[in-house]
């Protein structure tokens, strides 16, 4: 019999026994993901999130570590709508869909301009007849909701002004691999109250993770998202704090996270934002008050004012594993939505 830790099979090739149907019965009964859209983690419970991460880890093991060909999406196509440019979202989705045997089709604003050259309703109906799934990276979250309302195929949120849920899947897998489990960890968000933070707020409590948020005054997360997060924290018995002092947020935290202070479309605000975020750079001094096992995450691209080189390139920084896991988690999500695939590795510990 094989004896292994939760994360050992993720770090090196192993031949792992098939999971028996009886082992899967409880999980599969409660998880129904096929055919569903993925607009926000608010719509997904703990078991569903865990299942997506389990499938993602399984694909990483089979394809990366065991060099298997796993054509689960052979004969399928994905329409990728990008109103905003991206390195990680485009590369992870295109390479991931191709690795699984499918055909990705990339659409820029020059190819498709939602609601301008053609109504969003018509675009949704046209794409429903030409593809099996859509990933859309948009400025306004309402564009995703409109697409989802009129499409007959699943829609994945590749980023919107309100949420960035596929980023959080990669972050969660990265932390599970590193720590071996998630429950009881404390994550400190130090920076802007943006779409990535909103997605953390819609998911961490469900997995037993505490969240401390430090933002400058005027840069707090959305009020409605905050209200929902407070309810989730109370429901799942986790701690949720909103602060303005980065050091207080970092204190005793296991994970320090930041993001860009100036997002696409905010370039005119750059000078003011840099002034308002003074003192929010993550450095080793920030880490000095964190938990002894602290790590650092950033969804990238990163600017030096957000985190200094000493932290960013240190062994505590998980950013490049985090970036790679964008591929495995988008693959896992697409497999969950488009197939009835059952993972071959044991369930992950959370």
């Amino acid at each position: 019999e094989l004896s292994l830790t939760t994360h050992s099979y993720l770090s090196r090739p192993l031949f792992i026994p098939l999971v028996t149907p009886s082992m899967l019965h409880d999980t599969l009964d409660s998880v129904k993901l096929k055919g569903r859209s993925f607009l926000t983690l608010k719509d997904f419970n703990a078991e569903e999130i865990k299942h997506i991460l389990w499938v993602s880890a399984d694909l990483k093991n089979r394809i990366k570590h065991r060099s298997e060909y796993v054509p689960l999406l052979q004969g399928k196509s994905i329409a990728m709508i990008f109103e905003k440019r991206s390195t990680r979202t485009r590369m992870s989705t295109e390479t991931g869909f191709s690795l699984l045997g499918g055909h990705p089709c990339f659409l820029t604003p020059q190819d498709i301009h939602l609601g301008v050259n053609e109504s969003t309703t018509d675009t949704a109906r046209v794409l429903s007849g030409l593809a099996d799934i859509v990933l859309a990276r948009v400025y306004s979250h309402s564009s995703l909701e409109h697409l989802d309302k009129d499409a007959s195929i699943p829609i994945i949120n590749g980023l919107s002004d309100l949420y960035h849920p596929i980023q959080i899947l990669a972050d969660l897998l990265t932390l599970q691999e590193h720590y071996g489990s998630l429950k009881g960890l404390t994550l400190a968000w130090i920076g802007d109250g943006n779409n990535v933070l909103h997605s953390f707020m819609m998911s961490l409590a469900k997995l037993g993770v505490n969240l401390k948020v430090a933002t400058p005054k005027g840069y707090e997360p959305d009020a409605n998202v905050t209200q929902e997060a407070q309810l989730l924290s109370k429901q799942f018995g986790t701690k949720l704090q909103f602060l303005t002092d980065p050091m207080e947020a970092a204190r005793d935290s296991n994970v320090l996270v930041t993001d860009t202070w100036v997002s696409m479309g905010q370039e005119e605000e750059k000078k003011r934002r840099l002034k308002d975020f003074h003192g929010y750079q993550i450095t080793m001094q920030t880490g000095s008050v964190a938990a002894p096992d602290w790590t650092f995450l950033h969804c990238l691209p990163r600017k030096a004012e957000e985190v200094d080189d000493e932290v960013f390139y240190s062994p505590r920084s998980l950013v490049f594993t985090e970036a790679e896991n964008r591929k495995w988690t988008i693959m896992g999500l697409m497999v969950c939505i488009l197939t009835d695939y059952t993972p071959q590795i044991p369930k992950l510990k959370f």
Side-chain angles (χ1 to χ4, degrees), residues 15-35:
F15 289 99
I16 296 172
L18 290 175
V19 181
T20 63
S22 60
M23 292 165 63
L24 296 165
H25 184 267
D26 292 340
T27 299
L28 295 181
D29 274 357
S30 61
V31 174
K32 301 188 189 309
L33 296 166
K34 189 175 181 181

Side-chain angles (χ1 to χ4, degrees), residues 290-348:
D293 64 350
W294 71 273
T295 55
F296 174 74
L297 294 178
H298 192 305
C299 68
L300 308 181
R302 158 259 186 179
K303 301 291 188 297
E305 61 264 19
E306 299 149 7
V307 54
D308 68 7
D309 284 356
E310 189 179 7
V311 171
F312 188 76
Y313 294 110
S314 76
R316 293 186 180 274
S317 175
L318 306 179
V319 296
F320 297 109
T321 300
E322 177 187 12
E324 181 193 332
N325 279 339
R326 286 291 306 276
K327 178 170 77 170
W328 303 113
T329 48
I330 194 64
M331 290 167 69
L333 176 62
M334 294 185 298
V335 165
C336 287
I337 290 174
L338 292 174
T339 77
D340 294 308
Y341 178 70
T342 299
Q344 296 185 4
I345 62 171
K347 290 169 65 175
L348 303 183

Side-chain angles (χ1 to χ4, degrees), residues 188-306:
W189 176 274
I190 298 172
D192 192 12
N194 66 10
N195 50 2
V196 178
L197 173 60
H198 291 163
S199 287
F200 271 129
M201 291 167 68
M202 292 296 96
S203 56
L204 291 182
K206 298 171 186 176
L207 300 170
V209 178
N210 305 305
L211 176 61
K212 297 164 79 173
V213 177
T215 60
K217 289 182 180 178
Y219 294 90
E220 297 85 358
D222 177 85
N224 291 328
V225 175
T226 297
Q227 185 177 22
E228 182 72 23
Q230 288 169 331
L231 292 173
L232 288 172
S233 179
K234 185 176 181 181
Q235 178 183 348
F236 292 97
T238 61
K239 295 178 182 176
L240 175 63
Q241 292 179 271
F242 295 96
L243 309 159
T244 56
D245 182 355
M247 295 299 284
E248 187 57 34
R251 192 174 307 280
D252 300 323
S253 294
N254 306 97
V255 190
L256 307 182
V257 191
T258 192
D259 189 10
T260 181
W261 296 345
V262 184
S263 297
M264 277 180 273
Q266 298 175 334
E267 288 79 8
E268 293 181 4
E269 305 173 29
K270 182 174 181 178
K271 189 174 180 180
R272 176 174 59 82
R273 281 177 165 264
L274 290 179
K275 180 181 177 183
D276 292 345
F277 281 89
H278 179 73
Y280 275 73
Q281 183 190 47
I282 294 181
T283 65
M284 285 298 179
Q285 184 180 355
T286 318
S288 70
V289 299
D293 64 350
W294 71 273
T295 55
F296 174 74
L297 294 178
H298 192 305
C299 68
L300 308 181
R302 158 259 186 179
K303 301 291 188 297
E305 61 264 19
E306 299 149 7

Side-chain angles (χ1 to χ4, degrees), residues 35 37 79 124 127-134 147-148 150-155:
S37 288
L127 291 179
S128 295
L130 298 175
D132 299 279
I133 190 168
V134 172
L147 275 174
D148 190 45
D150 292 314
S152 58
I153 57 176
I155 308 295

